[in-house]
Amino acid sequence: MDFQKGEILYFDKPLNWTSFDLVNRIRYKISRFLNVKKIKVGHAGTLDPLATGVMIICTGKATKRIEEFQYQTKEYVATLRLGATTPSFDLETEIDNEYNIDHITQQLVEETLPNFLGKIEQVPPTYSACKINGNKAYEFARKGIEVELKPKTLVIDEIELLSYEKDEIKIRIVCSKGTYIRALARDIGKAMNTGAHLIQLQRTRIGAITLDQCKTIDEIEDLLKVI
């Protein structure tokens, strides 16, 4: 492998790591191994700290291909808790409201999900890196300052119910760049006249790259040994 000329690596991002944590760890390992002060390393598509799954890491001149990978279709498996919301739409923040779920049935879920197929408008979470006057939205949200984000157009190619319990559903989503699965959880809850938030998220595919092709962070040493 020639990391300076450019390599494309596939990793399974660990839980509670930021995307930059993973990039920084890989950059450190490669730089130390090659005994160089600096090497270009970047990722193609951010994952929240509470999400795991496929991350494409580019090194050296291959970082020029990052945008190409960012625009590829992505697949996720998400678990939603029904009957409660949080300000961040996931487990980063505490539950702020609870809702009735007595009317929720598997049939209702199956009838609701197809409404999100195709081109949709989605308002991003305030706990996100979306920019407002040059600042990231989450900087305002964490200070308790209310902000208004404009809806963005995106495409949901597939949405499938994988499992159902009274207060929890697991779904598979195939979608375009820019889709916030946390915001989708919020909107699914609203569509069923209740609340919902994301409690688990795994990105299982970017383009043709699937989870079974990805290495764990502990396996980077094996990659270095084959140089």
Side-chain angles (χ1 to χ4, degrees), residues 80 82 116 184-196:
L80 281 57
L82 304 179
F116 293 91
L184 184 62
R186 168 203 63 197
D187 295 340
I188 289 171
K190 285 182 178 179
M192 296 193 297
N193 197 29
T194 186

Side-chain angles (χ1 to χ4, degrees), residues 36-106:
V36 296
K37 286 187 177 180
K38 193 174 183 181
I39 184 169
K40 271 189 170 183
V41 181
H43 69 81
T46 302
L47 277 175
D48 290 335
L50 296 177
T52 63
V54 179
M55 282 203 70
I56 297 178
I57 304 291
C58 300
T59 77
K61 293 180 180 178
T63 54
K64 294 178 180 178
R65 296 187 62 190
I66 283 176
E67 189 173 359
E68 169 194 334
F69 293 120
Q70 285 178 331
Y71 277 92
Q72 291 183 355
T73 298
K74 299 172 179 67
E75 179 185 71
Y76 298 89
V77 172
T79 304
L80 281 57
R81 157 88 191 279
L82 304 179
T85 57
T86 71
S88 59
F89 312 150
D90 65 3
L91 296 177
E92 181 185 340
T93 53
E94 299 292 325
I95 289 172
D96 57 358
N97 285 296
E98 296 195 17
Y99 301 82
N100 180 41
I101 58 170
D102 290 342
H103 63 290
I104 302 295
T105 62
Q106 182 169 341

Side-chain angles (χ1 to χ4, degrees), residues 82 104 106 109 161 163-170:
L82 304 179
I104 302 295
Q106 182 169 341
V109 176
L161 180 64
S163 66
Y164 165 83
E165 294 179 21
K166 188 64 178 177
D167 65 346
E168 187 177 300
I169 59 172
K170 181 180 285 189

Side-chain angles (χ1 to χ4, degrees), residues 2-159:
D2 190 333
F3 291 108
Q4 289 178 314
K5 186 175 180 181
E7 295 291 344
I8 299 167
L9 311 172
Y10 313 132
F11 281 92
D12 181 356
K13 188 191 80 64
L15 184 66
N16 294 322
W17 284 42
T18 67
S19 300
F20 291 107
D21 288 338
L22 183 59
V23 167
N24 289 339
R25 175 65 65 88
I26 293 167
R27 182 189 292 116
Y28 170 76
K29 289 281 190 181
I30 294 174
S31 299
R32 190 175 179 186
F33 182 83
L34 297 178
N35 196 25
V36 296
K37 286 187 177 180
K38 193 174 183 181
I39 184 169
K40 271 189 170 183
V41 181
H43 69 81
T46 302
L47 277 175
D48 290 335
L50 296 177
T52 63
V54 179
M55 282 203 70
I56 297 178
I57 304 291
C58 300
T59 77
K61 293 180 180 178
T63 54
K64 294 178 180 178
R65 296 187 62 190
I66 283 176
E67 189 173 359
E68 169 194 334
F69 293 120
Q70 285 178 331
Y71 277 92
Q72 291 183 355
T73 298
K74 299 172 179 67
E75 179 185 71
Y76 298 89
V77 172
T79 304
L80 281 57
R81 157 88 191 279
L82 304 179
T85 57
T86 71
S88 59
F89 312 150
D90 65 3
L91 296 177
E92 181 185 340
T93 53
E94 299 292 325
I95 289 172
D96 57 358
N97 285 296
E98 296 195 17
Y99 301 82
N100 180 41
I101 58 170
D102 290 342
H103 63 290
I104 302 295
T105 62
Q106 182 169 341
Q107 182 179 347
L108 177 60
V109 176
E110 290 174 341
E111 290 174 351
T112 301
L113 293 182
N115 295 329
F116 293 91
L117 282 170
K119 188 179 290 187
I120 65 170
E121 297 289 309
Q122 184 186 78
V123 178
T126 52
Y127 281 78
S128 70
C130 290
K131 292 290 184 72
I132 301 173
N133 298 325
N135 295 310
K136 293 176 180 177
Y138 67 74
E139 294 172 349
F140 294 102
R142 287 171 182 166
K143 292 176 183 176
I145 301 172
E146 289 190 15
V147 293
E148 185 175 344
L149 292 172
K150 294 180 180 179
K152 294 185 176 182
T153 302
L154 51 93
V155 177
I156 307 291
D157 293 311
E158 298 177 42
I159 188 164

